[in-house]
Amino acid sequence: MFVQRDVSPDESEEDAIDALLENCIRQYRSKGMTYRETRDRMLSVIDDMERKSREAEEEKRDYGIS
């Protein structure tokens, strides 16, 4: 279970997700990473997720799954 203390019930779902993202950034920074290194790391994770998604879609097409 994860408790996010900075989110009020009135905030939008996107605001709650942004708060989680900010927490991740703080954790990277607490490890001594610069903002640039943090950004590069996060973009690398996004790129990897995008690649895996693309590969899964291609595999589905190969098997004739819509």
Side-chain angles (χ1 to χ4, degrees), residues 48-61:
D48 188 52
M49 290 177 69
E50 184 179 27
R51 179 188 53 77
K52 288 176 182 176
S53 175
R54 208 172 31 251
E55 288 172 356
E57 288 299 318
E58 290 171 5
E59 189 173 325
K60 283 171 47 176
R61 278 195 300 274

Side-chain angles (χ1 to χ4, degrees), residues 16 20 26-28 31-32 37 42-43 55 58-59 63:
L20 291 171
R26 281 199 255 346
Q27 288 182 36
Y28 278 129
K31 298 288 185 193
E37 290 168 332
M42 295 176 87
L43 287 174
E55 288 172 356
E58 290 171 5
E59 189 173 325
Y63 285 106

Side-chain angles (χ1 to χ4, degrees), residues 8-56:
S8 73
D10 296 330
E11 292 186 43
S12 71
E13 185 175 359
E14 288 83 6
D15 290 338
I17 295 168
D18 287 347
L20 291 171
L21 181 58
E22 288 175 11
N23 187 46
C24 290
I25 293 167
R26 281 199 255 346
Q27 288 182 36
Y28 278 129
R29 296 282 293 144
S30 73
K31 298 288 185 193
M33 294 176 71
T34 65
Y35 282 110
R36 168 83 51 195
E37 290 168 332
T38 299
R39 180 182 181 276
D40 291 345
R41 176 72 180 205
M42 295 176 87
L43 287 174
S44 175
V45 169
I46 292 168
D47 289 345
D48 188 52
M49 290 177 69
E50 184 179 27
R51 179 188 53 77
K52 288 176 182 176
S53 175
R54 208 172 31 251
E55 288 172 356

